[in-house]
């Protein structure tokens, strides 16, 4: 054990003995900063040491957090700092995730890779709406987790899951969402444009949808759903059910992009051309290749009504804003984004760094596999 590690332990013991909230918070911040400074280089034994040290400190701070705003702020800061770290101390993450204060639990619930499906299901089954909303915002969720979230029947959670392209939803889960969407136009549009919504449930949704909702669905439909939704609306309007359009050929697009890459012809200009022509499959496959990702990760981002997720692979590929705009607008069969939406997206894009985007993309790749 190094001198630095021994010094940390001595300082923790002193902080716990004195019972001072201020001393405990100061020590917790110092230990967290020390961990963050070299998190990627620590081995399992060293991470376990930090886990034990921080959990003891946090336990001490939690006893005072009910009546002490400073203690709550300190815990929230630690949660936000540790949430994006893949090697974060696991026991500490679980403790923070189970805190009843959403400002403390929220960051790790929404982002930490240390929380497994079992822990997420437990939280979804026992905590309140704010905690469930945080879990529903995670980019990648398995059906076992979304089933637990939807079982609580919070409309706000259903809306967040429907708008989250990385949330896998079971048939039973989609049935709950579609049932709720009968009285929720926003939810109806979000779930109606999901490619993984079973066709029979899409027809059920469209049968009960108002004309306004049907029009919005057509205007926001991605190219690989436009014909299906258009056909379904026509069918339910005349009271006739019929087969939906075929599935798009991403395998062909992947082969075509692979050939362009092999011959040195795949570049940003190629992607810009595909996006402007609304050649959806080729644009998805080209963006996946240029960003070092896969079609399986990019495709749900393209389906989402949210722009922030799709900005990540664009920044990872270091695309110009012109090309990024074309990619964002290629999500829709017709029309362009509103200027205000584009301006907001451009601000997010400018603040994002390629390194952070690539790290996020790698995390999504692992979670999607």
């Amino acid at each position: 054990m190094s001198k630095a590690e021994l010094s940390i332990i001595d300082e923790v013991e002193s902080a716990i003995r004195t019972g001072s909230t201020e001393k405990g918070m100061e020590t917790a911040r110092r230990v967290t900063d020390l961990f963050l400074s070299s998190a990627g280089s620590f081995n399992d034994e060293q991470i376990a040491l930090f886990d034990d040290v921080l959990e003891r400190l946090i336990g001490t701070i939690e006893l005072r957090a009910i009546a002490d705003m400073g203690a709550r702020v300190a815990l929230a800061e630690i949660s936000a700092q540790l949430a994006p770290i893949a090697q974060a101390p696991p026991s500490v993450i679980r403790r923070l995730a189970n805190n009843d204060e959403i400002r403390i639990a929220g960051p790790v619930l929404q982002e930490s890779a240390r929380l497994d499906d079992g822990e997420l299901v437990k939280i979804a089954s026992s905590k309140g709406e704010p905690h469930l909303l945080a879990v529903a915002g995670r980019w990648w969720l398995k059906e076992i987790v979304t089933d637990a979230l939807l079982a609580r029947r919070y409309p706000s959670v259903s809306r967040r899951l429907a708008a989250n392209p990385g949330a896998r939803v079971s048939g039973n889960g989609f049935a709950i969402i579609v049932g709720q969407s009968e009285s929720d136009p926003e939810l109806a549009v979000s779930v109606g444009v999901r490619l993984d919504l079973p066709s029979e449930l899409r027809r059920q949704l469209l049968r009960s949808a108002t004309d306004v909702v049907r029009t919005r669905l057509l205007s926001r439909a991605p190219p690989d759903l436009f014909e299906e939704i258009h056909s379904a609306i026509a069918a339910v309007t005349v009271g006739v059910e019929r087969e939906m359009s075929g599935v798009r050929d991403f395998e062909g697009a992947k082969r075509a992009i692979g050939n362009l890459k092999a011959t040195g012809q795949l570049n940003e200009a190629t992607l810009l051309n595909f996006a402007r022509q609304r050649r959806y499959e080729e644009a998805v496959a080209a963006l996946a290749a240029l960003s070092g990702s896969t079609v399986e990760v990019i495709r749900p981002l393209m389906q989402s009504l949210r722009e922030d997720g799709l900005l990540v692979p664009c920044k990872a590929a270091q695309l110009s804003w012109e090309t990024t705009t074309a990619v964002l607008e290629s999500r829709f069969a017709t029309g362009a984004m509103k200027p205000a939406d584009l301006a907001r997206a451009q601000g997010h894009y400018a603040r994002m760094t390629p390194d952070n985007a690539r790290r996020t993309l790698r995390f999504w790749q692992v979670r999607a596999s």
Side-chain angles (χ1 to χ4, degrees):
M1 186 175 293
S2 70
K3 291 182 179 179
E5 290 168 347
L6 286 170
S7 175
I8 291 171
I9 294 174
D10 289 340
E11 186 170 345
V12 169
E13 296 294 348
S14 174
I16 293 174
R17 278 198 309 272
T18 62
S20 165
T21 302
E22 290 74 18
K23 179 65 174 176
M25 289 189 294
E26 178 189 345
T27 305
R29 286 191 175 103
R30 280 188 9 87
V31 173
T32 302
D33 289 343
L34 180 60
F35 177 81
L36 293 172
S37 67
S38 304
S41 63
F42 290 134
N43 58 34
D44 290 343
E45 182 179 354
Q46 290 169 316
I47 291 174
L49 172 64
F50 278 102
D51 203 4
D52 177 64
V53 166
L54 270 176
E55 188 175 20
R56 294 177 67 194
L57 282 168
I58 288 172
T60 301
I61 298 170
E62 281 179 337
L63 294 175
R64 300 162 177 81
I66 295 175
D68 189 330
M69 175 62 74
R72 294 199 293 275
V73 169
L75 291 175
E77 289 175 352
I78 292 172
S79 179
Q81 289 176 304
L82 293 178
I85 307 301
Q87 302 85 3
S91 297
V92 170
I93 292 296
R94 287 192 293 271
R95 186 166 194 138
L96 291 168
N98 280 280
N99 195 288
D100 289 335
E101 173 65 58
I102 188 58
R103 287 178 295 179
I104 297 169
V108 295
L109 286 178
Q110 186 159 339
E111 192 172 2
S112 179
R114 283 296 202 181
L115 294 173
D116 61 24
D117 293 333
E119 188 66 34
L120 292 174
V121 167
K122 177 183 173 183
I123 289 168
S125 303
S126 62
K127 293 293 185 179
E129 184 177 4
H131 288 65
L132 272 63
L133 277 169
V135 175
R138 294 170 73 92
W139 270 110
W140 302 105
L141 289 169
K142 294 182 180 178
E143 291 179 358
I144 188 174
V145 180
T146 58
D147 278 347
L149 290 168
L150 291 167
R152 302 290 299 280
R153 297 296 203 280
Y154 287 113
S156 60
V157 174
S158 297
R159 284 194 290 272
R160 182 158 292 183
L161 286 175
N164 183 349
R168 298 175 183 173
V169 182
S170 68
N172 289 336
F174 272 127
I176 291 172
I177 295 175
V178 169
Q180 292 174 319
S181 71
E182 292 183 8
S183 58
D184 189 334
E186 177 189 342
L187 181 58
V189 173
S190 292
V191 72
V193 298
R194 285 189 63 123
L195 191 69
D196 52 348
L197 178 66
S199 294
E200 64 273 16
L201 287 174
R202 199 184 319 277
R203 292 194 290 271
Q204 177 184 326
L205 182 152
L206 289 167
R207 277 195 296 269
S208 61
T210 64
D211 288 340
V212 172
V213 169
R214 292 175 183 176
T215 299
R216 286 183 61 196
L217 278 168
L218 277 177
S219 70
R220 299 308 302 269
D224 56 344
L225 271 183
F226 183 84
E227 288 302 324
E228 177 178 333
I229 292 176
H230 185 272
S231 298
I233 290 174
V236 299
T237 299
V238 298
V240 177
E241 301 288 357
R242 66 187 195 184
E243 289 299 315
M244 299 298 173
S245 59
V247 176
R248 292 250 174 174
D249 179 18
F250 279 92
E251 292 305 316
K254 285 193 281 189
R255 287 193 297 271
I257 296 304
N259 290 335
L260 288 175
K261 186 176 181 179
T263 56
Q265 300 178 69
L266 178 63
N267 52 38
E268 181 174 341
T270 309
L271 173 57
L272 177 60
N273 186 50
F274 287 144
R276 283 178 169 170
Q277 294 182 29
R278 306 292 170 109
R279 293 174 63 177
Y280 187 74
E281 301 97 321
E282 289 89 346
V284 170
L287 179 57
L290 290 172
S291 65
S293 186
T294 64
V295 166
E296 289 68 32
V297 169
I298 302 300
R299 190 179 185 186
L301 300 179
M302 289 282 281
Q303 291 170 226
S304 177
L305 298 183
R306 294 165 50 178
E307 294 86 23
D308 51 349
L310 192 53
L311 295 176
V312 172
C314 291
K315 178 63 76 167
Q318 300 188 60
L319 301 181
S320 66
W321 180 243
E322 178 186 11
T323 303
T324 301
T325 299
V327 170
L328 291 173
E329 293 188 332
S330 73
R331 294 176 298 158
F332 311 120
T334 59
M337 290 177 62
K338 295 178 181 178
D341 292 338
L342 268 179
R344 183 183 65 250
Q346 187 173 14
H348 290 324
Y349 194 68
R351 291 189 294 273
M352 195 180 298
T353 67
D355 285 343
N356 284 339
R358 283 189 283 268
R359 279 195 293 270
T360 301
L361 205 55
R362 284 196 297 271
F363 172 68
W364 290 349
Q365 187 72 50
V366 171
R367 297 297 292 176
S369 61

